[in-house]
Amino acid sequence: MTAPIRILLVEDDEVDRMAFRRFVAGEDLPYNYTMVSSVAEAKKRIDDGSFDVIISDYLLGDGTAFDILALKTDIPVIITTGAGDEEIAVRAMKAGAYDYLIKGRGHTYHKILPVVVDKAVERHNADERFRVLADRESSETVVVGSTGMSDVLRLVALAASSDVPVLISGETGTGKNLIAKTIHMKSGARQFPFLSINCTALPENLIEAELFGYEKGAFTGAAKTRKGIVEMAENGTLFLDEIGEMPLHLQSKLLDVLEEKKVRRLGSENVTPVNVRIIAATNINIEEAIGRTFRKDLYYRLSVLRIIIPSLRERSRDIPELCSYLLARIKGGRVFRLSDPEMQRLQQYDWPGNVRELKNILERAVILATGPDLRPSELLGKRNAADGPVNALPDPPEILPLEEMEKRYITAAFRTFSGNVTKTARELGVPLSTFKRKLKEFGLK
Ligand SMILES: Nc1ncnc2c1ncn2[C@@H]1O[C@H](COP(=O)(O)OP(=O)(O)OP(=O)(O)O)[C@@H](O)[C@H]1O
Ligand SMILES: [Mg+2]
């Protein structure tokens, strides 16, 4: 028998706690769980004990799931949010959450829970030092559909036939990792390593050590000499994810690597020649950061080939083809259908989490399906492309009762500050206690 999965459940809602307990007992899941109701308690438990996975509700008495993420433990965090808060979920994923669950009525999300937990634990057990894409992912193809993606694919082919640096940008979940890996697999370097490092996942000094390596004694804890991943990717591809977040002084060191094709380990006198193709990715508008948080010279070095992946909402025509591709990969022999109205709803939705979100929703729809007809649209947020951003204020001609206006404004502000109660109250200029009362009143908490 394998060891039970140790879960820390951070949940302050008694109904949800009970539902969880009942579900785990009812399904006889191999979970060993601890329940806490606040960020402070969670922090204490994490310091004291060891867990395989943290499941945290989004809104907590003394903060939000973002405060849990800010603890930067290396335990995967799954956040749960209410229906309609998909955007928070997407933002949480960007902030480092491993996955999310949308709490619907009747606790149907519990059915998905074991799958999500298993996936998270699997990842936790994987080598975290740098993530080499798992083999089963390397068989993925890029679905191009009918639109803007064909330009992307042309550039992929061009990139694969040379070894110049490539800079990929696109919103979260548009396939930047997939494209980077595809370039590598189509290039002459395919039999050499493809290594990737996420420039936001680690503190600055660790990224530096990971990238460039170090000599024994270079800093406290450097017990032995270690190669950095720039060296380890020799002859292959180094994927620098979220390059836009790379601290400035590392940017200049990276520029040296690109210009000199040499790397100096921390604490070393010597330089080692390196031959590695660099692919960088960003989901911020990096052109806007040039000269401020991003070095201009590095930008030009990296963007010899520039690939911009359109968001899914800009290519909703690709959705049917993406659905058949993604479903073929997940359904495991069962036959499923998507009716025309279902497909229409999928095409109208605005997909803040792009293809990743589509994939998640389809996976979940498959788990929840009782017959051949899938109903993924039931798992979507209330938003659709026509609604525009959720935090938009009504246009001036629409006159709303003040209270409704206040509610919308507070909701928008609360989302803008990622559900940070203290910060939102401060920005709105209201006392914390008043703000908390309003949240309750408007059912936001
Ligand atoms: N065109 C596509 N065809 C098939 N699958 C795709 C496509 N685009 C994305 N995917 C799938 O969607 C998921 C998300 O893609 P990926 O991780 O590459 O996104 P990303 O842009 O790197 O996101 P992030 O900015 O959050 O890191 C992956 O499972 C990927 O395989
Ligand atoms: Mg990525």
Side-chain angles (χ1 to χ4, degrees):
M1 217 189 98
T2 45
I5 298 176
R6 296 157 304 174
I7 300 179
L8 179 66
L9 182 75
V10 194
E11 173 64 77
D12 61 350
D13 185 313
E14 196 41 51
V15 177
D16 286 334
R17 281 169 160 241
M18 235 155 64
F20 181 86
R21 254 185 234 121
R22 211 175 290 147
F23 176 71
V24 172
E27 300 282 314
D28 199 17
L29 291 166
Y31 294 169
N32 184 344
Y33 59 87
T34 305
M35 284 191 183
V36 295
S37 54
S38 66
V39 176
E41 275 176 274
K43 184 171 172 350
K44 203 169 154 296
R45 291 298 185 123
I46 293 167
D47 289 343
D48 294 347
S50 55
F51 297 99
D52 299 310
V53 60
I54 301 172
I55 303 175
S56 174
D57 187 29
Y58 166 57
L59 275 179
L60 300 161
D62 61 343
T64 67
F66 283 87
D67 299 306
I68 304 283
L69 292 172
L71 298 175
K72 290 236 180 257
T73 70
D74 64 347
I75 309 166
V77 181
I78 295 165
I79 71 149
T80 53
T81 70
D85 278 342
E86 287 72 13
E87 208 154 347
I88 290 171
V90 169
R91 224 179 297 144
M93 301 271 285
K94 284 298 354 158
Y98 176 70
D99 212 334
Y100 66 88
L101 286 164
I102 306 287
K103 290 184 191 172
R105 246 181 270 127
H107 296 283
T108 45
Y109 72 100
H110 279 151
K111 289 195 195 156
I112 304 159
L113 185 87
V115 184
V116 173
V117 166
D118 279 355
K119 273 212 267 178
V121 173
E122 199 179 294
R123 174 193 106 169
H124 185 47
N125 295 337
D127 182 358
E128 273 300 296
R129 187 163 174 233
F130 47 81
R131 198 131 357 106
V132 186
L133 293 187
D135 275 341
R136 71 189 145 86
E137 292 207 12
S138 62
S139 62
E140 281 177 319
T141 26
V142 184
V143 173
V144 174
S146 48
T147 45
M149 284 301 282
S150 41
D151 287 340
V152 170
L153 224 67
R154 258 196 300 280
L155 291 169
V156 166
L158 197 61
S161 64
S162 76
D163 61 1
V164 296
V166 182
L167 179 62
I168 306 172
S169 62
E171 287 179 16
T172 180
T174 45
K176 297 183 292 298
N177 284 56
L178 177 64
I179 294 289
K181 179 81 188 186
T182 307
I183 294 174
H184 173 78
M185 292 310 289
K186 286 181 188 275
S187 79
R190 75 180 72 84
Q191 70 272 39
F192 295 102
F194 174 90
L195 297 182
S196 97
I197 185 164
N198 184 316
C199 304
T200 56
L202 298 165
E204 182 167 341
N205 53 348
L206 277 186
I207 297 184
E208 186 166 9
E210 290 296 309
L211 269 176
F212 306 114
Y214 47 84
E215 293 293 324
K216 181 177 172 183
F219 50 85
T220 349
K224 54 176 192 232
T225 298
R226 192 149 154 178
K227 274 189 190 178
I229 70 169
V230 174
E231 273 182 76
M232 291 195 288
E234 184 66 10
N235 295 324
T237 306
L238 176 59
F239 179 52
L240 301 169
D241 207 357
E242 312 232 16
I243 187 88
E245 309 286 330
M246 185 179 258
L248 275 169
H249 102 274
L250 290 187
Q251 291 180 24
S252 23
K253 289 192 87 170
L254 180 65
L255 186 64
D256 284 347
V257 173
L258 283 161
E259 284 179 341
E260 314 285 335
K261 298 204 174 298
K262 284 180 190 140
V263 61
R264 185 193 299 276
R265 294 183 193 156
L266 295 178
S268 170
E269 297 284 304
N270 310 314
V271 289
T272 317
V274 285
N275 170 34
V276 50
R277 133 72 77 76
I278 307 268
I279 303 182
T282 172
N283 60 16
I284 62 163
N285 185 346
I286 200 153
E287 278 78 7
E288 268 175 21
I290 295 174
R292 290 187 298 113
T293 53
F294 206 81
R295 287 184 66 129
K296 192 173 172 180
D297 40 13
L298 180 60
Y299 172 79
Y300 287 112
R301 273 278 167 184
L302 286 174
S303 59
V304 177
L305 249 169
R306 184 85 176 85
I307 300 182
I308 300 171
I309 312 180
S311 68
L312 189 53
R313 89 189 70 81
E314 290 169 85
R315 49 184 164 110
S316 53
R317 275 201 293 160
D318 294 0
I319 289 178
E321 199 169 329
L322 273 166
C323 287
S324 13
Y325 168 77
L326 295 168
L327 277 175
R329 293 178 66 92
I330 47 188
K331 65 191 177 187
R334 289 164 73 193
V335 177
F336 289 109
R337 283 193 303 251
L338 278 165
S339 67
D340 288 347
E342 270 298 312
M343 189 58 79
Q344 241 164 33
R345 273 175 230 133
L346 294 183
Q347 288 183 289
Q348 276 159 6
Y349 181 63
D350 78 346
W351 302 108
N354 293 289
V355 185
R356 179 181 296 111
E357 190 182 4
L358 176 62
K359 191 174 161 189
N360 271 336
I361 297 248
L362 291 175
E363 273 172 7
R364 286 158 196 216
V366 164
I367 295 169
L368 296 174
T370 46
D373 284 302
L374 291 181
R375 288 203 295 278
S377 72
E378 288 174 356
L379 300 163
L380 296 176
K382 291 178 200 72
R383 306 176 56 193
N384 60 46
D387 287 344
V390 259
N391 57 2
L393 282 175
D395 287 337
E398 189 191 353
I399 301 298
L400 289 165
L402 265 184
E403 194 183 308
E404 176 60 24
M405 182 76 184
E406 184 184 41
K407 179 177 173 182
R408 289 198 192 182
Y409 195 72
I410 285 185
T411 312
F414 198 42
R415 291 204 169 144
T416 305
F417 297 112
S418 309
N420 183 323
V421 181
T422 324
K423 184 150 189 212
T424 317
R426 191 169 58 229
E427 295 296 324
L428 290 174
V430 293
L432 193 59
S433 52
T434 314
F435 183 63
K436 283 189 174 158
R437 184 165 43 77
K438 292 273 174 205
L439 285 181
K440 257 213 165 76
E441 213 172 283
F442 295 139
L444 292 166
K445 174 65 215 154

